[in-house]
Amino acid sequence: GRFTAIQLAEAINADDVHFPSTQLVALENTSNKGGGCVWDQNEVLKIAELCKKNNLPLHLDGARMFNAIV
């Protein structure tokens, strides 16, 4: 489902040998467990900023993005 930047910040694993390191954030629109809802653009921008601060790649599935336009 969808999550907020605050929830993402809480889910990023600390640099600790006992936990796997967080490596990627992936977002998708329309066909996720969020009930087919499109992400709020402002929330995506907050998530993107958080990813930049934590040196995490951010992926938005392009096909689903264009499906959301329809």
Side-chain angles (χ1 to χ4, degrees):
R2 292 183 298 168
F3 51 87
T4 66
I6 292 170
Q7 290 172 312
L8 175 60
E10 294 170 350
I12 295 173
N13 286 335
D15 187 17
D16 185 326
V17 70
H18 298 99
F19 299 100
S21 61
T22 304
Q23 295 290 311
L24 171 71
V25 176
L27 307 178
E28 69 174 51
N29 280 310
T30 73
S31 62
N32 63 19
K33 292 182 180 180
C37 298
V38 177
W39 283 83
D40 177 76
Q41 184 177 0
N42 291 326
E43 197 63 45
V44 173
L45 293 173
K46 291 176 189 176
I47 290 170
E49 184 60 32
L50 181 63
C51 288
K52 287 179 189 176
K53 287 181 182 178
N54 288 279
N55 199 29
L56 291 171
L58 174 62
H59 173 76
L60 173 60
D61 189 307
R64 288 181 177 82
M65 179 179 68
F66 289 111
N67 287 341
I69 292 172
V70 177

